[in-house]
Amino acid sequence: MQDSQQQLHQQYLLGPQRPSELGRKTLVLDLDETLVHSSFKPVENADITLPVDIDGQICTIYVLVRPFVAQFLKRMHKLYELVIFTASLSKYAEPLMTHLDPTKMCSYLLFREHCTFFNNAFVIFNIICHHLHKRVPIAILVTTPMIDETIHLV
């Protein structure tokens, strides 16, 4: 890759699409509250328990996976380039995604470390800029206490 292309991909968070996904629309999925619900408090029937080091102390995070997440990811992977976003730290989200996506269907994982803190929230402006620059339509699925909708950008 030429130096100018490398700089462009470093400026934006997503590199080129995989050859098998070339030309596909990108579906950005919010991990927490969209695909899973996680808690530091014990949850009955947790699907996954993750030990995470927080400030030198190992904490257990209890994760409930939303019904049919595995099937949803498999089906969406056939249609879209998948990108997972979370405002959580990578030390929690990476091991969780190892459980949710063991075959690496998701092309990119973006964590709090990739975000910009803006208007009291962590946002991923660079993704949108990258794809608008390349003129590839994207869809972002976000579920939060205040937002529960799919945003389509063309």
Side-chain angles (χ1 to χ4, degrees), residues 17-130:
Q17 289 183 314
R18 296 173 180 167
S20 62
E21 299 168 347
L22 203 57
R24 288 187 191 173
K25 292 181 182 181
T26 300
L27 178 61
V28 181
L29 298 168
D30 184 11
L31 177 62
D32 295 302
E33 304 308 326
T34 302
L35 301 179
V36 301
H37 173 75
S38 300
S39 175
F40 285 101
K41 295 179 182 178
V43 174
E44 190 175 320
N45 300 322
D47 298 302
I48 302 167
T49 55
L50 292 175
V52 177
D53 184 326
I54 299 176
D55 297 329
Q57 182 176 350
I58 301 297
C59 299
T60 301
I61 300 178
Y62 301 87
V63 181
L64 294 170
V65 179
R66 291 205 185 258
F68 306 106
V69 162
Q71 295 90 329
F72 173 75
L73 290 175
K74 282 181 185 177
R75 181 174 258 175
M76 293 301 102
H77 174 63
K78 292 177 182 177
L79 303 171
Y80 299 98
E81 171 191 39
L82 297 179
V83 174
I84 301 296
F85 157 76
T86 182
S88 297
L89 295 172
S90 60
K91 60 184 170 182
Y92 148 77
E94 278 183 311
L96 177 54
M97 285 307 300
T98 299
H99 287 277
L100 294 178
D101 184 22
T103 61
K104 307 271 190 250
M105 292 179 289
C106 299
S107 300
Y108 293 95
L109 306 176
L110 303 175
F111 315 108
R112 181 178 299 178
E113 296 94 303
H114 300 111
C115 297
T116 301
F117 193 71
F118 176 77
N119 209 20
N120 293 323
F122 290 100
V123 294
I124 50 172
F125 286 129
N126 290 357
I127 291 176
I128 295 167
C129 294
H130 168 78

